[in-house]
Amino acid sequence: MKNTRNMIPTIFKTLHVSNQDELGELYKNWDEYENDVIQLAGYVGHLVTTEALLRHLKNKGAKILDAGCGTGLVGDILYNKEYKNIVGVDFSKEMLNRALKKNVYESLFLCDLTQKIGFEDNYFDAIVCAGTFTCGHVGPEALNEMIRITKNDGYISFTVRKQEWEASPYEKIIKELERSNLWKQVEHHTSKYNTQEGVTCQLCLYQVTK
C-alpha cells in the first residue's frame, strides 16, 4: 500500500492483516481506538457519511443500520440528532461492547458483513457504513446485501478509503448496480477521511430503486 509513512501504527496493522482472525485480534485489544483514529489520525469518516445521509433523510423515526458500527461513533451522532431507531452491527464483540456503553442503539448484533447479513429484505430505511470499506476489511460485494435489506427509496451512505477504492472494483460494481436499476446516485465525491494522515476517501450516497 502506498502513502503509509505517516500512518498511526495501529491503523497500519489493521490495513495489512492476512485474515479475519488476525483483524479480530487487533480490534479485540485496541483499547485506545477512538483516541488513535480521531485524535491521532484525524478520522472524519463517521462525520461525512452521517452528514451526507441527514441532508436527505428527514424522517427521524427511520430505522437505520450502522454497518460496521465499531465503538458507536455514527450511532452517537445520529442519536444526538434525534434519530434514535438505530441498529448496530460489527464483527468484533469487543467493539460492540464499547458501543453498548454509549446507550444510543436500539439493538446491537455480531455480524460479518462479508457474509449474508441476517436481516429480512427491505428491513431498513437507511444504512450508514463509515470506515468499513477499507483495506483488509469489507469489500464491494457487500453492497448487494445492503441493497437487499434496504427499503425501496431508502438510502445507503458509505465511505471507501482511497487505497481500497483503487485496489478493488468498487467503481465497476457501483455502476453495475446503477445499470441494473437497483440504486441511483445522490452524492458521490472525494472527501476528507484521515486528515492528519492526508488520506481521502470516496463519499457515496445512493438511493435504492429496486
Side-chain angles (χ1 to χ4, degrees):
M1 185 190 302
K2 298 178 181 178
N3 303 322
T4 57
R5 182 179 301 174
N6 297 322
M7 278 189 189
I8 310 307
T10 45
I11 295 175
F12 181 89
K13 289 178 182 178
T14 65
L15 301 178
H16 292 80
V17 295
S18 56
N19 55 59
Q20 287 287 302
D21 289 340
E22 185 180 341
L23 186 64
E25 283 299 310
L26 286 171
Y27 280 108
K28 179 179 181 180
N29 299 301
W30 199 350
D31 295 330
E32 298 299 318
Y33 173 81
E34 290 195 9
N35 179 72
D36 286 356
V37 299
I38 296 176
Q39 300 302 323
L40 299 184
Y43 173 68
V44 295
H46 59 307
L47 298 173
V48 297
T49 41
T50 308
E51 288 168 357
L53 175 65
L54 298 188
R55 281 195 286 272
H56 303 274
L57 181 68
K58 302 304 180 183
N59 174 18
K60 294 196 174 181
K63 183 178 285 293
I64 303 172
L65 176 65
D66 183 1
C69 64
T71 60
L73 296 175
V74 165
D76 215 12
I77 297 169
L78 289 170
Y79 190 88
N80 287 321
K81 294 287 187 179
E82 299 184 355
Y83 292 79
K84 298 182 179 179
N85 193 3
I86 317 164
V87 175
V89 298
D90 201 275
F91 86 111
S92 168
K93 181 179 179 181
E94 290 73 23
M95 287 287 171
L96 289 173
N97 288 338
R98 294 174 182 128
L100 181 64
K101 293 176 182 177
K102 294 190 174 177
N103 295 312
V104 297
Y105 291 95
E106 180 186 73
S107 52
L108 290 162
F109 299 98
L110 198 63
C111 174
D112 182 353
L113 293 170
T114 66
Q115 306 297 321
K116 183 176 175 64
I117 303 173
F119 293 101
E120 297 176 358
D121 295 357
N122 309 312
Y123 190 76
F124 292 100
D125 296 292
I127 295 177
V128 181
C129 187
T132 302
F133 289 117
T134 189
C135 310
H137 288 61
V138 177
E141 298 79 11
L143 294 170
N144 291 277
E145 272 292 278
M146 290 184 181
I147 289 173
R148 179 186 68 78
I149 63 175
T150 302
K151 296 176 183 177
N152 199 35
D153 295 328
Y155 295 99
I156 303 175
S157 182
F158 60 99
T159 55
V160 184
R161 185 186 173 101
K162 180 179 185 291
Q163 292 93 335
E164 171 68 0
W165 179 267
E166 294 170 349
S168 299
Y170 284 88
E171 189 169 16
K172 177 175 180 284
I173 288 174
I174 285 170
K175 287 182 177 179
E176 286 175 352
L177 293 170
E178 283 187 282
R179 283 194 293 268
S180 299
N181 296 316
L182 292 174
W183 68 6
K184 65 180 180 181
Q185 179 182 312
V186 180
E187 296 187 26
H188 188 163
H189 54 86
T190 301
S191 172
K192 294 179 180 179
Y193 190 71
N194 283 359
T195 59
Q196 296 301 317
E197 293 181 323
V199 176
T200 61
C201 69
Q202 291 298 302
L203 174 60
C204 308
L205 177 67
Y206 283 75
Q207 186 172 29
V208 174
T209 57
K210 60 193 179 187

